[in-house]
Amino acid sequence: DPAFAAPDKPIGAHMERETAERLAAELGWRIAEDSGRGWRRVVASPAPRDIVEAPIVDRLFADGTVVIACGGGGIAVAPNAAGDLTTVDAVIDKDRTSALLAARLGADMLLIPTGVERVAIHFGTPDQRWLDRLDTADTRRLLAEGHFGAGSMGPKIETMLAYLDRCPNGTGIITTAEAMGRAVAGEAGTRFTR
């Protein structure tokens, strides 16, 4: 994954630059300044390719069990030279992992909670416009036009597109945790379809 060549996901505590540089030299870390709050270690955030526990989730789901999975994106692992799974210094995006699992399960709906009730274009400007419904063509166009920031709504939008590419009859919703029930009923949130 190209993310390993350019780690940019901050992890761990904020620290003074001198401390961060010393730890980077001692431990081989990559570091970066984090929004004026100090320096932090940064790691890659690669796209998930598979979910190790997916067969177990499939079985539990088929048996009618309510399954909670992919919390925090899970622990990043990759096969080593011997073919055994080993941990990798990376952060796996929880939304992308959830979309991967939803597609594997053939889920009818993927609901992603966020800090706003609906997705907007021109967010935070006088031209801000809330969006109720988007199809994938309009979503791709708005994403390409730069309406969804890479550090904010962009990854959630990309996740919705990936889910709908794998589940063309599915529905995606982005909304707040508080509005989820109303969003499923079609009364809140931004709804994504093919």
Side-chain angles (χ1 to χ4, degrees), residues 37 100 102 126 142 165 167 177 185-186:
R37 297 177 290 185
L100 183 62
L142 292 170
D165 285 346
C167 295

Side-chain angles (χ1 to χ4, degrees), residues 2-185:
F4 285 103
D8 64 353
K9 186 73 171 175
I11 63 168
H14 291 90
M15 59 193 94
E16 297 294 322
R17 181 179 186 154
E18 297 76 27
T19 302
E21 288 175 344
R22 179 180 52 77
L23 289 171
E26 289 174 9
L27 302 172
W29 288 359
R30 292 202 184 170
I31 57 171
E33 199 282 323
D34 185 20
S35 306
R37 297 177 290 185
W39 287 73
R40 294 173 78 187
R41 180 181 181 195
V42 291
V43 297
S45 184
R49 296 180 62 176
D50 198 6
I51 299 169
V52 174
E53 299 87 356
I56 297 166
V57 173
D58 286 341
R59 173 79 188 272
L60 291 168
F61 186 71
D63 288 344
T65 303
V66 174
V67 180
I68 299 172
C70 305
I75 298 170
V77 295
N80 61 20
D84 299 319
L85 291 179
T86 185
T87 57
V88 178
D89 287 340
V91 172
I92 304 300
D93 181 82
K94 63 188 175 303
D95 295 331
R96 290 180 176 162
T97 305
S98 296
L100 183 62
L101 183 61
R104 180 180 175 116
L105 295 173
D108 296 332
M109 181 177 288
L110 175 64
L111 200 149
I112 297 179
T114 192
V116 292
E117 190 169 306
R118 286 185 171 80
V119 174
I121 56 173
H122 307 292
F123 187 76
T125 72
D127 296 325
Q128 178 174 303
R129 191 177 91 210
W130 297 107
L131 304 171
D132 294 327
R133 295 181 176 276
L134 284 171
D135 63 29
T136 52
D138 286 337
T139 303
R140 287 183 206 287
R141 178 181 53 79
L142 292 170
L143 183 64
E145 290 173 1
H147 287 284
F148 309 118
S152 58
M153 195 59 72
K156 293 180 185 315
I157 297 295
E158 291 169 353
T159 295
M160 279 302 170
L161 290 169
Y163 164 70
L164 291 170
D165 285 346
R166 293 183 181 119
C167 295
N169 295 322
T171 299
I173 299 174
I174 295 177
T175 193
T176 61
E178 298 79 14
M180 284 182 179
R182 292 186 301 115
V184 170

